[in-house]
Amino acid sequence: MLNELTIKIAGEAGQGMQTVGFNLCQLLKRTDFYIFANQDYMSRVRGGNNFFQLRISQKPSQACRKLSDIIVTLDKQSVAIHGTNLSEGGILIMDSKKFNIAQEERYFDIPMYEMALSLGSDLFVNSIVYGLISGILGITNGNIFEVIKEAFSDKGEELISKNIAAAKAGIDYAKNNFKDERFFMTARTGERTLLMNGNEAIALGAIRAGCKFYSGYPMTPSTSIMNEMAYHAKDFNIIVEQAEDEIAAINMVIGASFAGVRAMTATSGGGLSLMVEGLSLAAMTETPAVIVDAQRPAPATGFPTRTEQADLNFVLYCGHGEFTRAVFTPGTIEEAYYLTIHAFNLAEKYQIPVLIMTDQYLADSYRNISELDRNAIKVKRFIISREASKNITNYKRYELTDSGISPRAIPSWINDVIYADSDEHNQEGHITEEARVRESMVEKRLYKKMQGLEKEVIEPKSYNFEKATIVIIGFGSTFGAIKEVSDASSGKIGFIHLPQVWPLPKKGLTDLLKSKQKVITVENNASGQLAKLLHSEADIKIEKSILKFDGRPFNADDLIEEVNKLL
Amino acid sequence: MNINDFKSNDPIAWCSGCGDFGILTALKKSLLKLGREPKDILLVSGIGQAAKLPHYIKSNCFNGLHGRAIPPAVAAKIANNKLTVIVTTGDGDCYGEGGNHFLHNIRRNTDITVIVHNNQIYGLTKGQASPTTDPGYVTKVQTEGVVLEPLHPLEMAIALGCAFVARGYCSDLEHLSWLILEGINHRGFSLIDVLQPCVTFNKKNTYEWYSKRVYKLNDDKSYNPNDKDSAYRKAAEWGERIPIGIIYKAEKESYEEKTGLNQKTALIDENIDDIDISPALKKFI
């Protein structure tokens, strides 16, 4: 009996790898497996070579594997591209007649295109393959057809019944031609119920946190956050506005926030570059703003559909002038949800911009997770309530306080007016050039707020730490791969994950690393930006950084190999 | 209420004789006639001399970035559609740096009023050409005179479907305050381009220059601002005679009406303390 299995579906853009992949996820989810799915796609609508990779396991997994046990090729070139990534004993499903390739021992030949055409269109290849894999995995219950009905529910009865026929043909083909049970797996318990990706989790977190205004400009890999917000907008009375550019997007977020609602935008590095002046505006006017940077490889347009963690320096320091911000780096889908709620609370409390960093890998990776805990992070308001506002007749927007936080009033609620300004301003919010006022305002925005933020920083999460002789530090989406390396090391390799990189949890890190000699970082970038941050901010010496900057995520197997070289 | 209810204590930083003073007075008069309290009015601006105006009136003020007056104004209106939202901007702020927002927010058509202090020059940066500077005008940068075609904001606005397009003159206070009030009362994006001399840097388009040329459309009983074709021709009129008044006006659904925002609870009045997201989770099960 297998503990885990990786399935890859590869082909040209537009051939429907995602459809097969999603349908398999839906099916496997109903049979209570742990699922981790990631996507690798090119920046084009048709052609090229894309794949959908699905890992199913008895134990939860949060990283992809290097090799696949079942590879489905939907076109000829996929056989050559992905054939080398087949595990020992794995099978590569292909159509020798269609691809005109000679049969090899590890190939499993199925005339899928001929079968599909006999049903009326080569589009049915998708459901044939879906049925075939179900058969190979030994899943034969009625869920198979339920999934198809749901997936094609808006396509009409005829197409549903044809796809069901196609799936049946795939199942029968497996029954007759793939007689061994080596890919059969038993299902686990039924605790995981939600299948979602990182971006969807961020959107749900925003909805839960009370975000009522979202504006953004589409940019891969952030766009699915906007799509998800729009999908739920009507039900939750949220306005989702596609802005004319990212500059408008951030300025709209700030305007809505000034008026009194929680607001968010999401983009990728290029879009964030355009937003930077606005980020500085949020800080200067002390207006809460939540900004998501779904990273992709840069500079400039870079690899639009691939993954990287190279915006760290940029996100930490972007914006002219000196001001306070907080930066969160979720590593899992659950963390993306909880940290988003926290980001809204914190942005409102300190009246600052808060950034959430994700990347294409986390954004587009699916896992089935347990119910999101409604009470894990409470929504807390930090504005003058409507009730208390009524008695306010003499309001100073930027009143100087010990905490650096001025009580924030909402326009029209108080019996006075509010002046907010991007120029340096006095306590009333009017423009000033007084030297002493300038100093106290800088102190307010920079030092005082920072002191508060540092007190409630999210501590680093440590794993397998006690006996570890070597410690890996990571942030964001590398969580899954590093955790797997650490878990497989019999306690030799400890792991520190940073859900928050700014303010950096200096004390927590220093305490953890007190007795550890060998500390390395694992980063999806070329210059070891995290290592440099740890050194400059917390005086932590990083012996080595394992870096990857080919636009692809770390897989657990390659990373184990890399780390083992250091042991 | 009286005009002093809109009086701000912030000292004014404009040059003496600046056309902005006329716009400030006219706006106060319009607000007094509007009858809403200062706390229910929000003035939004970018950067430039025009952008300082919100400080000189008692009402809510968001003074943001250069070129970015309209986006926060629109979003504030969406967040709290009970606010009266007015943008005070200039020809550089609105038509230059903020051109893209000008274009697309006419399309968006939220119920805001945009007053452009159009002095045909850059004042705060000391005298460079603006998008509306007359061709041939010599500046420190345009040393051989402006060679670019001037931008035609009113024709642009009509072409983009703006349903309230007007031009005012800062010296005709009664007329200007009437225009502004008309603009505020119009549902949707209202553009009021206000001719305004820059006494320091624009030596061509002076009080005298404008006063000789401007005439009121109201005096021509045959002019119909609902007729788009004649509105285009009026908007293009520039030279010996310059029309002021409502150039074009039409009935058009606003953003708030199209999105149903005006029918629903204002976004700021939503209780967000404990939102139950379980209905949103259904699609993931």
Side-chain angles (χ1 to χ4, degrees), chain A residues 29 195 200 208 228 231 237 239 241-242 244-245 247 252 386 412 414 418-422 429-430, chain B residues 39 55 57 60-61 63-64 68 75 100-101 108 255 265 267-270 272 274-275 283-285:
Chain A
K29 192 183 76 175
L195 180 74
E200 289 164 343
R208 167 71 179 146
E228 195 60 25
Y231 183 91
N237 196 16
I239 287 286
E241 190 58 23
Q242 184 176 322
E244 54 271 23
D245 52 36
I247 298 174
M252 288 177 89
R386 189 153 202 156
S412 83
I414 54 171
I418 301 167
Y419 292 95
D421 208 294
S422 73
H430 288 307
Chain B
K39 73 180 183 69
H55 286 283
I57 284 190
N60 294 297
C61 149
N63 182 187
R68 318 299 166 206
N100 205 27
H101 313 307
R108 200 166 269 129
Y255 177 94
T265 311
L267 298 182
I268 61 156
D269 290 329
E270 286 279 348
I272 65 162
D274 188 17
I275 292 172
K283 68 177 276 219
F284 300 99
I285 294 169

Side-chain angles (χ1 to χ4, degrees), chain A residues 421-554:
Chain A
D421 208 294
S422 73
D423 286 86
E424 189 56 273
H425 41 255
N426 57 23
Q427 295 189 60
E428 287 77 17
H430 288 307
I431 299 171
T432 183
E433 299 201 17
E434 288 286 329
R436 186 61 210 117
V437 177
R438 162 73 182 171
E439 280 176 349
S440 35
M441 285 298 164
V442 173
E443 282 161 10
K444 170 189 204 301
R445 290 188 295 261
L446 187 61
Y447 303 138
K448 288 186 175 173
K449 287 188 180 182
M450 192 62 171
Q451 280 167 10
L453 277 169
E454 278 177 339
K455 274 184 207 138
E456 50 185 308
V457 72
I458 296 182
E459 292 300 334
K461 290 185 178 160
S462 59
Y463 304 91
N464 306 314
F465 222 73
E466 206 106 304
K467 287 178 236 150
T469 51
I470 176 168
V471 174
I472 302 177
I473 308 181
F475 71 106
S477 74
T478 50
F479 177 89
I482 305 175
K483 175 87 167 25
E484 195 156 328
V485 170
S486 174
D487 286 348
S489 72
S490 330
K492 272 185 288 186
I493 301 167
F495 170 33
I496 296 177
H497 165 64
L498 291 165
Q500 180 171 2
V501 290
W502 195 266
L504 192 71
K506 287 176 231 175
K507 190 170 179 307
L509 275 167
T510 321
D511 289 350
L512 274 170
L513 294 171
K514 237 181 261 165
S515 56
K516 305 291 177 190
Q517 294 299 315
K518 204 173 173 123
V519 185
I520 68 168
T521 65
V522 168
E523 306 180 47
N524 241 164
N525 61 49
S527 58
Q529 297 181 21
L530 177 66
K532 285 176 185 155
L533 174 73
L534 294 169
H535 186 244
S536 66
E537 282 295 312
D539 204 22
I540 294 167
K541 199 179 161 294
I542 302 299
E543 190 166 307
K544 190 184 158 54
S545 292
I546 297 176
L547 306 172
K548 188 170 170 67
F549 47 93
D550 58 358
R552 274 73 179 171
F554 282 100

Side-chain angles (χ1 to χ4, degrees), chain A residues 29 193-196 200 204 207-210 212-213 228 231-232 236-237 239 241-245 247-248 251-252 254-256 258-262 277 281 337 374 379 381 386 412-423 429-431, chain B residues 8 10 37-40 42 47 52 54-55 57-66 68 71-72 74-76 78-80 83 100-101 104-105 108 255 259 261 264-270 272-277 279-281 283-285:
Chain A
K29 192 183 76 175
T193 56
L194 306 168
L195 180 74
M196 68 174 69
E200 289 164 343
L204 289 170
I207 295 169
R208 167 71 179 146
K212 290 291 160 202
F213 182 82
E228 195 60 25
Y231 183 91
H232 303 288
F236 292 89
N237 196 16
I239 287 286
E241 190 58 23
Q242 184 176 322
E244 54 271 23
D245 52 36
I247 298 174
N251 278 280
M252 288 177 89
I254 292 167
F258 170 76
V261 301
R262 289 188 166 189
E277 193 189 16
L281 174 70
Y337 171 79
R374 205 168 140 189
V379 172
R381 298 308 310 267
R386 189 153 202 156
S412 83
W413 285 8
I414 54 171
N415 273 311
D416 196 5
V417 298
I418 301 167
Y419 292 95
D421 208 294
S422 73
D423 286 86
H430 288 307
I431 299 171
Chain B
S8 157
D10 198 36
E37 287 182 63
K39 73 180 183 69
D40 295 319
L42 169 64
I47 295 299
K52 293 176 183 168
H55 286 283
I57 284 190
K58 188 177 177 190
S59 75
N60 294 297
C61 149
F62 187 87
N63 182 187
L65 295 171
H66 186 48
R68 318 299 166 206
V74 163
I78 291 172
N80 179 3
L83 290 173
N100 205 27
H101 313 307
H104 293 284
N105 281 295
R108 200 166 269 129
Y255 177 94
T259 55
L261 206 59
K264 285 185 261 183
T265 311
L267 298 182
I268 61 156
D269 290 329
E270 286 279 348
I272 65 162
D273 293 345
D274 188 17
I275 292 172
D276 178 9
I277 61 159
L281 296 179
K283 68 177 276 219
F284 300 99
I285 294 169

Side-chain angles (χ1 to χ4, degrees), chain A residues 11-42:
Chain A
E12 282 182 22
Q15 282 193 311
M17 287 73 70
Q18 219 186 30
T19 312
V20 182
F22 276 135
N23 287 347
L24 280 172
C25 283
Q26 290 299 339
L27 176 66
L28 292 162
K29 192 183 76 175
R30 284 161 214 236
T31 47
D32 298 325
F33 284 104
Y34 284 106
I35 300 169
F36 180 84
N38 64 298
Q39 301 182 65
D40 181 295
Y41 55 99
M42 295 172 78

